[in-house]
Amino acid sequence: MKIAVFPGSFDPITVGHVDLVKRALPLFDKIVVAVGINSTKKYLFPLEQRLEWLRQVFAKYPQVEVDSFQNLTAHYCQKIGANYLLRGLRNASDFDYEKTISQLNHIVGGGIETVFFIAQPEYSHISSTIVREIIIGGADASPFLPPEINIK
Ligand code: ADP
């Protein structure tokens, strides 16, 4: 069975993340959208809230599971039997960062392959960081969020 892990903070999940999962579905039997818990990182939304949103957004996709993990992504993949990682590339700085991480994961994870999707033009400007700024600034972030997510 081909299992891919889509790791991220999803703080919060955006339409860009959802697009990536939908495009990757034909390639895998199962995609696990997994929230990585980094104890040194400050998040806007609590873990439970982020997981709840992910569950709602992907409820209609039986191939998609939602989970969370601590420590190394590569070890989490090995634990659940996933041989693939899923990541998105929006621009050159994503590429520089992702290249190193993917090479490390290949070694640490004993051959894990990272599959990259180039962001669609209509989503390539969307990041959780920008969405958080919009929310903190009191503006309407709904154009960037899946319809299941309602932030007032
Ligand atoms: P992290 O904290 O690991 O960066 P994110 O939740 O910010 O987690 O992003 C997870 C993954 O989703 C990354 O590979 C990122 O490149 C990808 N991604 C985020 N936004 C988009 C988008 N608009 N289009 C395509 N991929 C995206």
Side-chain angles (χ1 to χ4, degrees), residues 4-14 17 20-21 31-38 41 43 45-47 50-51 54 58 65-74 76-77 85-88 90 97-98 101 105 128-129 132:
V5 168
F6 181 30
S9 307
F10 306 105
D11 186 29
I13 183 168
T14 70
H17 295 128
L20 205 89
V21 171
I31 294 176
V32 182
V33 181
V35 182
I37 305 165
N38 182 340
K41 225 167 154 178
Y43 300 104
F45 297 104
L47 175 65
R50 284 177 280 146
L51 287 170
L54 290 172
F58 295 112
E65 275 178 23
V66 172
D67 196 8
S68 63
F69 67 97
Q70 257 163 341
N71 304 318
L72 294 179
T73 309
Y76 171 70
C77 289
L85 279 164
L86 193 59
R87 297 288 286 179
R90 287 162 293 192
Y97 174 76
E98 296 290 342
I101 302 287
N105 280 327
S128 293
T129 309
R132 288 195 298 275

Side-chain angles (χ1 to χ4, degrees), residues 5-131:
V5 168
F6 181 30
S9 307
F10 306 105
D11 186 29
I13 183 168
T14 70
V15 286
H17 295 128
V18 177
D19 183 64
L20 205 89
V21 171
K22 282 190 192 164
R23 290 165 66 199
L25 276 174
L27 268 55
F28 302 101
D29 299 301
K30 185 160 99 178
I31 294 176
V32 182
V33 181
V35 182
I37 305 165
N38 182 340
S39 51
T40 63
K41 225 167 154 178
K42 287 276 269 169
Y43 300 104
L44 182 60
F45 297 104
L47 175 65
E48 261 319 309
Q49 174 69 87
R50 284 177 280 146
L51 287 170
E52 181 55 33
W53 279 330
L54 290 172
R55 286 187 206 109
Q56 286 171 8
V57 169
F58 295 112
K60 54 183 175 289
Y61 300 95
Q63 273 170 275
V64 179
E65 275 178 23
V66 172
D67 196 8
S68 63
F69 67 97
Q70 257 163 341
N71 304 318
L72 294 179
T73 309
H75 287 170
Y76 171 70
C77 289
Q78 287 174 326
K79 192 183 109 190
I80 66 161
N83 293 317
Y84 303 94
L85 279 164
L86 193 59
R87 297 288 286 179
L89 297 175
R90 287 162 293 192
N91 48 45
S93 42
D94 271 0
F95 175 80
D96 283 341
Y97 174 76
E98 296 290 342
K99 176 185 158 204
T100 313
I101 302 287
S102 137
Q103 289 165 337
L104 290 173
N105 280 327
H106 194 261
I107 298 166
V108 177
I112 288 176
E113 295 291 358
T114 306
V115 176
F116 294 101
F117 278 76
I118 304 284
Q120 301 219 65
E122 63 265 44
Y123 298 125
S124 61
H125 61 294
I126 301 174
S127 70
S128 293
T129 309
I130 297 294
V131 171

